[in-house]
Each structure stands twice: as structure tokens, then as C-alpha cells.
Amino acid sequence: MLTDDEFWELVATLGARPDAQDDTPYEELTEKLAQGPVDRITGFAEVLARQLYELDRRYLAQGTGLSDDGFLYARCAVVVAGREVVATVLADKAAFAPYATDEAAHAESILDVASNAYRLKTGREWDHIEKFDYETGSNEKWW
């Protein structure tokens, strides 16, 4: 498995730039994950899903004008920005606004990292289903 600290170290390799329109950091992270054991890849997917699930809150989505997918991509941007940003957004709704943009939507690339790493490592299609559903509206407690 993967600890939260290990997850955030891996995410930090993306450069905390969710608005960057460059796939290179995501490709490098994919390759790095593929060099390790499969359980590290699935662990990355699990921690990512949990982080996105925790950010799935109606009060963050309201007033942004984002579609369900857009809100998911904005949550990806918050995760790409780093652990401290996630904590800040959860504590202060106003801190979410800079991530609810079209530019930050490129951070959705983090959603493909684990499946691409798995395919690169094993040559097989990704069939792992994470414990937490990160689709918009899945966190019933906060919707």
C-alpha cells in the first residue's frame, strides 16, 4: 500500500501547478509509479480517490458554474496543488475559487496516472475499483 505521506511526495513531483498545460509531469509520475510494485499503483489510486471524495462537497460546488465534470477537475487541481491546499480549501470555501477555472481543468490528467502506470507495468487494462467514489455528488454526507 501507499501511505498518505508517500502519496503527497508523489503528487509534489507534479510541481504544484494545476494550471500548467503540460502532460510531461503526469507522464513522469506515471513512469515512476510503473517502476514500483502494483500495490503502490493501486495505493496511489486509493489515496487519490479518497482525497477527491473528501473534496466532493456541495458548498464548494455552489456558485462556481461548473458542470459535474468541471467540479471534479477543479478538485483534481486542488489535489495537484498539494496537501496544504487541500487542507486550506476544506477549512475555507473561498480558497477553492482559484481552482474552479478552465486552466486548472488540465489537472484531470492525474485521474489517468494510476491506470496508465498499471498498463505500463503489467501490459493489462486497469480493472481496479477504488473504495471511494470520487464522482461529483458521491459524498452523500456533504451533498
Side-chain angles (χ1 to χ4, degrees):
M1 284 308 290
L2 191 74
T3 67
D4 283 358
D5 288 340
E6 291 171 317
F7 172 80
W8 290 113
E9 286 174 20
L10 290 166
V11 169
T13 66
L14 298 173
R17 294 275 330 256
D19 58 337
Q21 303 297 307
D22 182 7
D23 287 330
T24 304
Y26 297 98
E27 293 164 357
E28 291 171 352
L29 177 55
T30 297
E31 291 172 13
K32 184 173 187 165
L33 274 175
Q35 292 171 4
V38 169
D39 69 342
R40 186 171 181 181
I41 297 169
T42 57
F44 182 88
E46 289 294 338
V47 177
L48 175 61
R50 181 170 36 87
Q51 293 299 320
L52 294 171
Y53 178 84
E54 286 298 321
L55 288 163
D56 183 28
R57 299 173 184 220
R58 180 186 304 272
Y59 73 84
L60 291 176
Q62 287 177 325
T64 63
L66 296 171
S67 66
D68 287 353
D69 284 345
F71 180 56
L72 170 59
Y73 304 157
R75 288 183 283 134
C76 289
V78 171
V79 171
V80 169
R83 175 186 255 171
E84 293 78 19
V85 174
V86 170
T88 300
V89 165
L90 289 173
D92 178 9
K93 170 185 167 175
F96 183 68
Y99 302 96
T101 66
D102 289 338
E103 292 79 23
H106 190 72
E108 75 166 300
S109 295
I110 197 170
L111 296 174
D112 296 324
V113 167
S115 61
N116 289 344
Y118 182 83
R119 192 175 312 109
L120 189 62
K121 171 93 178 160
T122 68
R124 297 189 315 259
E125 289 300 312
W126 178 253
D127 62 356
H128 181 79
I129 298 172
E130 295 83 10
K131 178 180 175 184
F132 291 95
D133 183 354
Y134 55 75
E135 293 297 331
T136 297
S138 295
N139 188 342
E140 293 179 14
K141 174 182 175 184
W142 291 99
W143 283 88

